[in-house]
Amino acid sequence: MKVLEINSCNFGSTGNIMLQIAETARAQGYTVITSCPKSRSNKKKNIDNQVFIGNLLTRNLHLKLAYLTGLNGCFSFISTLCFLRKINKFKPDLIHLHNLHNCYINLPLLFRYIKRNHIPVIWTLHDCWSFTGQCPYFTMAKCIKWKTGCKDCPSFNEYPRSLIDQTKIMWKLKKKWFTGVEDMTIVTPSRWLADLVKQSYLSEYSIKVINNGIDTSVFKRTKSEFKSIHGLKNKYIVLGVAFGWGDRKGYKDCLKLAEILDDNYQMVLVGVTKDQIKFLPNNILGMEQTNSQKELAEIYSASDIFINTTYEDNYPTVNLEARACGLQVITYKTGGSPESAGENAVVVETGDIIGLKYAIEKCIQDKDNNTLKTIKFNLSKISADSKFMEYISIYDSINKKKCKCF
């Protein structure tokens, strides 16, 4: 069976998920092509069996037109036609979609092609964009308009940004484009997102939860000199990891938390910018994003507790990484974060900094007194390889259905 995967990038979390699913599928005998827009970042990777969509000019033009008009996914007409001609020669038996937002493909053309050719689809949702007028998340905005029809959007000038609010039109268009596919399976990494999909116009489809996974050969209890190197041997390390610390990740909450923790604690934030590092207080050690998973595993292993102050999230893998390295997770009650934080997690209300402080102190006390209830879990349950094989099971079921038709 021939599979086409489409995503907005070939790097980062969603890009790597696409590429690793493709690699796993090829090992199981499937022929797989991956596709993404031809951007400067995507061009950096030399990937076999990859088809680019458009070029730098068409991508930048689409971004500009979408910003000016608020019509995201309505341009790139010629480049999408050229892409679909190439794909038609490949004749995919299955199309696996990932992130379709951020202006690189003409959405009505893509879904018309899918519907006319009766191609089965798997769509992995990495956020909420597929069933809203524009936004990937709406938790902070406390908005539920997406259930019946977006309008008067409080977030239209945030990613994916537009100059004017066209969410009312876009919600109707996306509903028209994305519904009516003959055979589509929606996959979400969290039960939280699956429950939202069931309340949206995508509820007509089969919905399956496949959690994100991590590389457990790297993320495991690791020998670390991190405390010695940074002179923190007599401190309890409270660790936070994010790839882009801002309001959505609870950056301000971490600063407030640092003000009320006593001198026994040292906060470490990984993923902050150089500018942010300049203004951090003494009891927060700021580190820029690291591309070394081994280094990150060492930081996890040297820490005493992991906190996740996210305000909007689907199924954060940083929780899984922390757990694999032996840390207990304290997380806000946000999206799918409690799900990935595990059975041993402490969940506090989003924004409750005092509750966060008390939870940290209690967990450290339990750890020191050996009264912390440790729950052993099988690392294979959070292994990326096992999660990718769940996708292959869906591929296999579609392949069996196709075989029965012939």
Side-chain angles (χ1 to χ4, degrees):
M1 191 169 77
K2 292 183 284 187
V3 181
L4 167 68
E5 288 199 72
I6 302 175
N7 190 42
S8 57
C9 59
N10 59 18
F11 61 94
S13 59
T14 63
N16 288 330
I17 286 171
M18 174 184 73
L19 295 177
Q20 289 169 322
I21 291 172
E23 185 180 336
T24 305
R26 291 184 189 115
Q28 299 299 314
Y30 289 92
T31 302
V32 187
I33 285 179
T34 58
S35 295
C36 59
K38 194 172 189 178
S39 66
R40 288 182 179 86
S41 299
N42 288 334
K43 282 171 63 183
K44 289 179 182 178
K45 273 191 174 181
N46 185 19
I47 298 168
D48 293 333
N49 301 305
Q50 178 175 257
V51 176
F52 281 122
I53 303 167
N55 53 45
L56 296 180
L57 177 62
T58 58
R59 175 75 192 288
N60 289 334
L61 183 60
H62 194 156
L63 284 165
K64 188 67 175 178
L65 289 172
Y67 171 70
L68 292 173
T69 64
L71 302 175
N72 194 311
C74 296
F75 303 100
S76 297
F77 189 84
I78 294 174
S79 59
T80 301
L81 280 177
C82 293
F83 168 70
L84 292 176
R85 284 198 190 101
K86 292 177 186 175
I87 295 310
N88 207 39
K89 291 178 181 177
F90 177 61
K91 295 193 182 306
D93 300 296
L94 167 67
I95 294 180
H96 189 161
L97 305 173
H98 295 271
N99 279 347
L100 293 180
H101 46 75
N102 209 21
C103 311
Y104 66 94
I105 194 165
N106 186 284
L107 295 171
L109 280 181
L110 173 64
F111 277 85
R112 190 182 305 162
Y113 175 82
I114 289 169
K115 291 172 184 177
R116 284 183 175 176
N117 290 280
H118 309 286
I119 302 173
V121 174
I122 297 171
W123 193 355
T124 300
L125 305 187
H126 300 283
D127 53 41
C128 307
W129 175 88
S130 59
F131 52 88
T132 70
Q134 182 167 320
C135 63
Y137 291 100
F138 38 74
T139 309
M140 291 178 71
K142 295 180 172 61
C143 180
I144 58 169
K145 295 173 186 173
W146 54 272
K147 292 183 180 182
T148 54
C150 291
K151 62 180 180 178
D152 302 323
C153 179
S155 310
F156 74 89
N157 57 354
E158 298 175 12
Y159 174 87
R161 295 180 64 224
S162 60
L163 194 61
I164 56 176
D165 181 2
Q166 293 280 30
T167 53
K168 183 177 182 179
I169 294 172
M170 283 303 304
W171 187 90
K172 290 179 179 178
L173 286 173
K174 288 163 80 172
K175 181 181 180 182
K176 177 183 176 183
W177 300 334
F178 302 159
T179 57
V181 177
E182 192 174 300
D183 183 0
M184 182 154 77
T185 301
I186 301 288
V187 176
T188 66
S190 64
R191 295 189 302 275
W192 166 79
L193 185 54
D195 289 341
L196 294 180
V197 174
K198 290 172 185 175
Q199 301 173 60
S200 76
Y201 52 65
L202 296 177
S203 61
E204 66 181 76
Y205 299 116
S206 171
I207 302 167
K208 183 174 176 61
V209 176
I210 299 179
N211 300 142
N212 293 330
I214 58 170
D215 186 347
T216 52
S217 68
V218 176
F219 291 105
K220 58 186 178 181
R221 201 72 181 157
T222 305
K223 186 178 179 181
S224 176
E225 300 297 325
F226 183 82
K227 277 194 172 185
S228 299
I229 292 169
H230 294 280
L232 301 175
K233 278 192 172 182
N234 298 318
K235 298 280 189 179
Y236 294 115
I237 294 181
V238 179
L239 177 65
V241 178
F243 301 100
W245 281 98
D247 289 347
R248 189 173 152 246
K249 292 297 181 183
Y251 178 66
K252 291 179 182 177
D253 288 18
C254 288
L255 298 180
K256 291 175 183 175
L257 176 64
E259 292 177 1
I260 59 176
L261 285 175
D262 65 39
D263 293 340
N264 293 316
Y265 297 91
Q266 174 72 44
M267 291 183 64
V268 175
L269 297 184
V270 178
V272 289
T273 64
K274 288 180 180 177
D275 288 338
Q276 287 173 325
I277 290 173
K278 292 177 186 176
F279 299 101
L280 290 175
N282 291 333
N283 62 341
I284 298 183
L285 171 62
M287 305 181 69
E288 293 183 73
Q289 180 178 335
T290 174
N291 292 320
S292 169
Q293 290 187 327
K294 183 178 181 295
E295 181 185 2
L296 194 52
E298 289 173 2
I299 298 172
Y300 281 122
S301 298
S303 301
D304 295 282
I305 201 79
F306 183 79
I307 60 169
N308 193 332
T309 54
T310 183
Y311 274 71
E312 293 182 323
D313 232 318
N314 182 355
Y315 190 84
T317 53
V318 288
N319 293 346
L320 302 178
E321 293 166 359
R323 290 169 59 198
C325 294
L327 290 179
Q328 186 178 19
V329 177
I330 302 173
T331 179
Y332 279 166
K333 191 178 180 181
T334 300
S337 189
E339 294 178 49
S340 65
E343 296 175 66
N344 203 28
V346 177
V347 180
V348 300
E349 289 298 325
T350 304
D352 183 3
I353 298 164
I354 299 298
L356 191 62
K357 173 183 179 287
Y358 288 152
I360 291 168
E361 292 171 345
K362 179 67 166 58
C363 290
I364 293 296
Q365 185 181 41
D366 289 346
K367 185 178 178 184
D368 284 348
N369 295 336
N370 292 318
T371 56
L372 175 65
K373 184 183 177 184
T374 55
I375 297 175
K376 292 184 179 181
F377 67 98
N378 189 340
L379 279 178
S380 65
K381 290 183 178 180
I382 61 172
S383 165
D385 291 341
S386 67
K387 302 306 176 185
F388 298 146
M389 285 306 297
E390 291 185 45
Y391 279 103
I392 304 306
S393 295
I394 304 177
Y395 286 16
D396 290 344
S397 64
I398 292 171
N399 195 20
K400 286 177 183 176
K401 279 196 290 186
K402 288 187 73 69
C403 290
K404 285 179 181 178
C405 294
F406 292 99

